[in-house]
Amino acid sequence: MMDSGEVYRVASLRRNSSSIWRNNSGEVFSRSSRDEDDEEALKWAALEKLPTYNRIRKGILTGQDGVETKEIDIQNLGFQEKKQLIERLLRVAEEDNEKFLLKLKNRIDRVGIDIPTIEVRYEHLTIDAEAYIGGRALPTILNYAANYVEGFLSLLHILPSRQKPIRILNDISGIIKPCRLTLLLGPPSSGKTTLLLALAGKLDRNLKVSGKVTYNGHEMDEFVPQRTSAYISQYDLHIGEMTVRETLAFSARCQGAGTGYDMLTELSRREKAANIKPDPDIDVYMKSAALEGQEASVVTDYILKILGLEICADTMLGDEMVRGVSGGQKKRVTTGEMLVGPARAMFMDEISTGLDSSTTFQIVNSIRQTIHIMNGTAVISLLQPAPETYDLFDDIILISDQQIVYQGPRENVLEFFEVMGFKCPERKGVADFLQEVTSKKDQKQYWARKDEPYTFIPVKDFAEAFQSFHVGKQLGDELATPFNKAKSHPAALTTERYGISKKELLKACTAREYLLMKRNSFVYIFKLFQLLITAAIGMTLFLRTELNKDTISDGGVYLGALFFGLTVILFNGFSELAMTVVKLPVFYKQRDLLFFPAWAYAIPTWILKIPVTIAEVFVWVFVTYYVMGFDPNVER
């Protein structure tokens, strides 16, 4: 925990946004040597004279012909202008992404700004769960009722609980280092997903957790881990009626730009002081990516490009009822949904499911370039990566039977198993070898000491042997040395719960709900026609040529007509329940990722349905009020 003085220092640094990015490490400024034509130079000189606030909202954009330049308002950057900008920066994503990232990094480094880094440590992490086994674990109504009653009675200590304890992770420790891409390997049910959830701060509250996870030496309650890190699930949960571009744009809008605006302000100030002219396209990109309140950020177009989703950007995602993109494309959308955000630590769970090896290689390579150049932190869980994809990673974490068998550089993993007496065959993929060598069924075939009899080596022995291996010793020494919090960049950890203001969150959710209502307009139109037909039937049933109001029977007819009308309006709204229930998994996912609070989702959904309900009631009353005989005057 931070003492009060340290908390105050970090808080004051966050309030003074530009001071976070200042580094008095000496004069590192240099003049740009780029040849400029007179017209562009004059435009840039006029731009430099503006105050910082206005300067980061203006840019010099090259026209479609590639010759003419014009001054533009960054917040009003059009769709075609963004597309042309990305095309110039990334003509071929596989070849140009690294060059583009190096240009970004070079611009930041040239003025001596430090990019925040995150080191994640987990020490003596043990996670247990209690669950029913056998037939009691099946999700039936009878089991649910029995489990609920039994849980209540066991809480009162009347009946012992029949839940069995299950160990998910067993006393594991390690370090996830920045600027290094880490591969998490392990057979199914080894605890990979639980480890990623623990690192991302998204563990279920019902689990019993001991040990700790820290970011740059700070524990989870000192910042907001859900926004500091990004967890990418292996399940593809999306709204089928939205296109790929709209899904990524909504995600980018809700997550905001993080500390990008503060960094850009300081960057612009330093460049002006040093008389440095940046590349106009890079300048426009960074300004557009850092400004909040845009319905579609340029980052969305960038992620679409590097994930190969441009071909289906304007195609609906689809679901069981709506035809949409393929399973592999939907998996890439799940990955892109978090990549568009500002999180600097990424934990990705089985992102290659449904993808071919070539696409997986391209995506992992793009992530690797981002991690290496922009000083990010990433752990990616893959089940059976191809050899060329495996070679992209810097570190390997091998987990089996709830224990870590190996964690360290990729180059030393085969050396460790050779010390243990196992060798990977020449034509065998290393990733496949690592997942099979701890298995009782497959271990024997890799035994290399032919002069010694083979005996099965359990996972526990591997884990203990790793502690005495030189990589394990080095890891233990690093864990024994606490992280120096003074080295943590004040902008590395996020303390704000949501990425944008409450007003912007409400606007974003309202815009999405309105879009979904337009996409489902057939449902609302059909409901109106259905109401008209029901009204016509009701008119014949309660036709009142004479307004008899004398007996109780006459009153019963009126009450019957009123009840019939109320029931029709009520059941007419039931059709929206199915659409609401279908969207619930997406709502839960985005709420837990802190895209928005529940009220920001509920209020637009409620308010935008009011005009529809009024229209339905108006149609019913207008058609039936006079004919059913509620009043002899049509004007009423």
Side-chain angles (χ1 to χ4, degrees), residues 448-464:
R449 299 173 184 171
K450 302 302 180 183
D451 54 337
E452 297 180 17
Y454 163 77
T455 54
F456 173 68
I457 300 179
V459 171
K460 185 180 179 182
D461 292 351
F462 278 118
E464 290 175 355

Side-chain angles (χ1 to χ4, degrees), residues 237-287:
L237 299 174
H238 304 288
I239 297 176
E241 291 89 354
M242 292 179 70
T243 65
V244 172
R245 188 188 303 277
E246 289 162 354
T247 301
L248 296 189
F250 177 77
S251 175
R253 190 175 179 184
C254 288
Q255 292 183 75
T259 56
Y261 181 82
D262 299 337
M263 186 187 75
L264 189 63
T265 304
E266 179 65 16
L267 179 66
S268 181
R269 185 192 66 80
R270 292 192 183 192
E271 285 181 337
K272 183 179 180 180
N275 195 22
I276 295 176
K277 180 184 179 299
D279 182 288
D281 287 342
I282 295 292
D283 182 61
V284 171
Y285 175 86
M286 292 184 73
K287 287 176 177 176

Side-chain angles (χ1 to χ4, degrees), residues 405 416-417 420 422 443 457-466:
V405 176
F416 168 68
F417 283 101
M420 298 296 295
F422 299 94
Q443 190 183 86
I457 300 179
V459 171
K460 185 180 179 182
D461 292 351
F462 278 118
E464 290 175 355
F466 176 66

Side-chain angles (χ1 to χ4, degrees), residues 66-83:
V67 178
E68 184 185 355
T69 59
K70 59 179 179 179
E71 183 180 316
I72 49 112
D73 182 359
I74 299 294
Q75 286 184 309
N76 295 323
L77 204 61
F79 172 76
Q80 287 299 329
E81 291 172 326
K82 290 178 183 176
K83 188 176 180 180

Side-chain angles (χ1 to χ4, degrees), residues 193 231-238 331 334 349-350 589:
T193 298
Y231 172 73
I232 298 171
S233 171
Q234 59 185 308
Y235 303 110
D236 304 321
L237 299 174
H238 304 288
K331 174 62 68 176
T334 305
D349 192 6
E350 300 290 356
K589 180 188 84 167

Side-chain angles (χ1 to χ4, degrees), residues 497-624:
R497 189 163 175 81
Y498 297 103
I500 53 178
S501 65
K502 294 177 181 178
K503 179 182 176 183
E504 290 296 329
L505 283 172
L506 197 59
K507 284 170 65 177
C509 291
T510 302
R512 183 178 71 163
E513 190 61 32
Y514 180 66
L515 173 70
L516 291 174
M517 286 181 68
K518 286 200 298 183
R519 291 278 158 79
N520 293 313
S521 57
F522 172 78
V523 175
Y524 300 106
I525 295 170
F526 181 83
K527 281 164 60 180
L528 281 175
F529 277 104
Q530 178 179 280
L531 206 62
L532 278 170
I533 294 169
T534 312
I537 296 171
M539 286 156 48
T540 59
L541 183 61
F542 294 99
L543 184 63
R544 306 295 292 150
T545 53
E546 295 181 3
L547 302 177
N548 298 321
K549 303 176 183 177
D550 302 327
T551 64
I552 295 177
S553 298
D554 294 333
V557 173
Y558 279 106
L559 284 174
L562 286 169
F563 180 75
F564 178 69
L566 190 63
T567 307
V568 167
I569 296 294
L570 176 67
F571 277 89
N572 205 45
F574 276 10
S575 59
E576 289 192 44
L577 282 179
M579 295 191 292
T580 302
V581 170
V582 166
K583 288 190 292 184
L584 278 180
V586 181
F587 160 69
Y588 291 135
K589 180 188 84 167
Q590 294 180 341
R591 181 199 62 182
D592 294 342
L593 291 170
L594 298 185
F595 279 20
F596 48 73
W599 62 263
Y601 175 86
I603 290 175
T605 306
W606 167 56
I607 291 177
L608 290 175
K609 298 296 191 300
I610 292 176
V612 176
T613 308
I614 290 175
E616 291 175 357
V617 173
F618 177 80
V619 166
W620 178 266
V621 172
F622 184 79
V623 172
T624 63

Side-chain angles (χ1 to χ4, degrees), residues 126-130 204-210:
T126 300
I127 300 177
D128 295 295
E130 289 187 350
D204 192 296
R205 294 180 181 178
N206 295 322
L207 296 174
K208 295 180 180 178
V209 183
S210 63

